[in-house]
Amino acid sequence: MKTRTIERTRLVPHTVDGVTEMVLDREQIEVPAPPRDWDHIVRTAVTIGAIILVTASLAWTTASIGDLLSAVTIAAVAYAAAVAFDASWIMCMGVEWLLRYDPERAQVARRAGRWALAVSMGAVFAHGYLIADTWVIGAVGAVVSALAKGGWSMAMRVHARPLDPRTQQWVTARRAKVDGQLAMIPIRRELQRGQALVDAERRSLGGTPEENGSAIPEAPGTPEPTSEDPDPKVSPIRSGRVTTQEAVRNAWDSGIRDPEAVLRTVRNATGKQVPQSSVDRYLRALRVGA
């Protein structure tokens, strides 16, 4: 039986000068070695082989189509554009892998990948036929991309975990609920941004809700005066219906002259944390006019 050496650590008491502490004790032990997992080895080899095929196909297609396009444009642009031919079906296969548990959406990526592969093979065939003046070289060159896609498709099948019909329906139902919640996140953000713009426009106009087209209900009736009010004889102005300047004017007309009392009245009237400097500026204008 094959064995392998591993290191095992454990806490043991250790005493020095009468003081005991728990310290780590390390020891090397021999344990039975697990049998070699040939399935995992083969699966890894298939994946590596598929990656090599795709890389070789991308390089070959880029070189062939880049050489073909360089006849009508500069080489740098031609080879950059040539990358798109194989990169398109490679990207479609990546999308197909991500959507492997959503067959309906994966089918769209699978069809798009086949069309992209056909276009890429046609361009490589055209390059070989025009350069060598024989269809054999063009066909052989075009098959490279097909072999790479086939190898990658086989690797995907090795790693795939098919679901039975009932489990697939359960996954689809759960995904639909979660996708709905995710979709509502940007929708709520958009609605909140729009509502914030409406509120800002309404505050800037400073008119009544009827004048601004507001759907905000009117504030409740005038509350009873309390001992905390600056002047019990003055009825508070309804919140959200006046601007800061109008609120200061109303407080002035009501006989309120103390800046702090005016500030409290203005804040109650506008429903905003109006700064003292704004109230003082309007009060100075009213004193000059008086």
Side-chain angles (χ1 to χ4, degrees), residues 1-9 26-34:
M1 181 179 63
K2 294 184 178 180
T3 61
R4 58 191 179 100
T5 303
I6 63 172
E7 184 182 65
R8 187 175 65 180
T9 60
R26 294 180 173 86
E27 61 176 339
Q28 303 291 330
I29 61 174
E30 296 289 331
V31 297

Side-chain angles (χ1 to χ4, degrees), residues 231 233-235 237 247-257 265:
D231 189 348
K233 297 180 181 180
V234 179
S235 299
I237 305 172
V248 174
R249 165 65 71 176
N250 293 338
W252 179 273
D253 294 341
S254 300
I256 304 176
R257 298 293 185 270
T265 304

Side-chain angles (χ1 to χ4, degrees), residues 112-152:
R114 291 171 181 172
W115 280 105
L117 175 65
V119 172
S120 178
M121 293 177 62
V124 174
F125 175 82
H127 171 262
Y129 182 78
L130 293 176
I131 297 299
D133 196 19
T134 174
W135 65 269
V136 176
I137 295 179
V140 172
V143 171
V144 174
S145 296
L147 292 175
K149 181 173 174 58
W152 190 253

Side-chain angles (χ1 to χ4, degrees), residues 8-235:
R8 187 175 65 180
T9 60
R10 58 178 179 174
L11 287 173
V12 296
H14 183 68
T15 305
V16 176
D17 294 335
V19 179
T20 302
E21 296 288 348
M22 301 298 293
V23 298
L24 284 176
D25 178 52
R26 294 180 173 86
E27 61 176 339
Q28 303 291 330
I29 61 174
E30 296 289 331
V31 297
R36 190 178 297 274
D37 189 354
W38 288 105
D39 289 345
H40 179 72
I41 294 174
V42 173
R43 185 181 294 110
T44 303
V46 169
T47 305
I48 295 175
I51 295 174
I52 294 174
L53 283 176
V54 170
T55 304
S57 173
L58 181 62
W60 168 253
T61 302
T62 302
S64 299
I65 302 178
D67 184 52
L68 178 66
L69 298 179
S70 62
V72 295
T73 185
I74 59 177
V77 176
Y79 284 95
V83 175
F85 284 82
D86 261 12
S88 58
W89 64 260
I90 293 173
M91 183 180 64
C92 290
M93 294 192 67
V95 174
E96 183 182 351
W97 169 257
L98 294 176
L99 300 177
R100 60 190 180 278
Y101 298 122
D102 193 345
E104 293 184 1
R105 297 170 63 189
Q107 184 65 24
V108 177
R110 187 177 300 109
R111 292 175 181 174
R114 291 171 181 172
W115 280 105
L117 175 65
V119 172
S120 178
M121 293 177 62
V124 174
F125 175 82
H127 171 262
Y129 182 78
L130 293 176
I131 297 299
D133 196 19
T134 174
W135 65 269
V136 176
I137 295 179
V140 172
V143 171
V144 174
S145 296
L147 292 175
K149 181 173 174 58
W152 190 253
S153 298
M154 292 299 101
M156 290 174 59
R157 289 181 176 273
V158 168
H159 292 277
R161 296 292 183 269
L163 302 177
D164 62 88
R166 291 190 176 184
T167 304
Q168 182 63 59
Q169 295 178 34
W170 183 90
V171 171
T172 302
R174 294 294 300 174
R175 180 183 287 113
K177 293 180 180 179
V178 175
D179 288 346
Q181 296 175 1
L182 293 175
M184 287 304 299
I185 294 176
I187 293 176
R188 290 193 185 98
R189 290 176 179 172
E190 181 182 357
L191 294 176
Q192 290 173 358
R193 285 194 297 266
Q195 187 62 46
L197 293 175
V198 172
D199 294 341
E201 180 70 13
R202 186 177 298 147
R203 288 194 299 268
S204 66
L205 294 177
T208 62
E210 293 80 4
E211 294 173 346
N212 294 335
S214 172
I216 300 177
E218 295 186 2
T222 303
E224 295 295 332
T226 62
S227 59
E228 297 178 357
D229 292 334
D231 189 348
K233 297 180 181 180
V234 179
S235 299

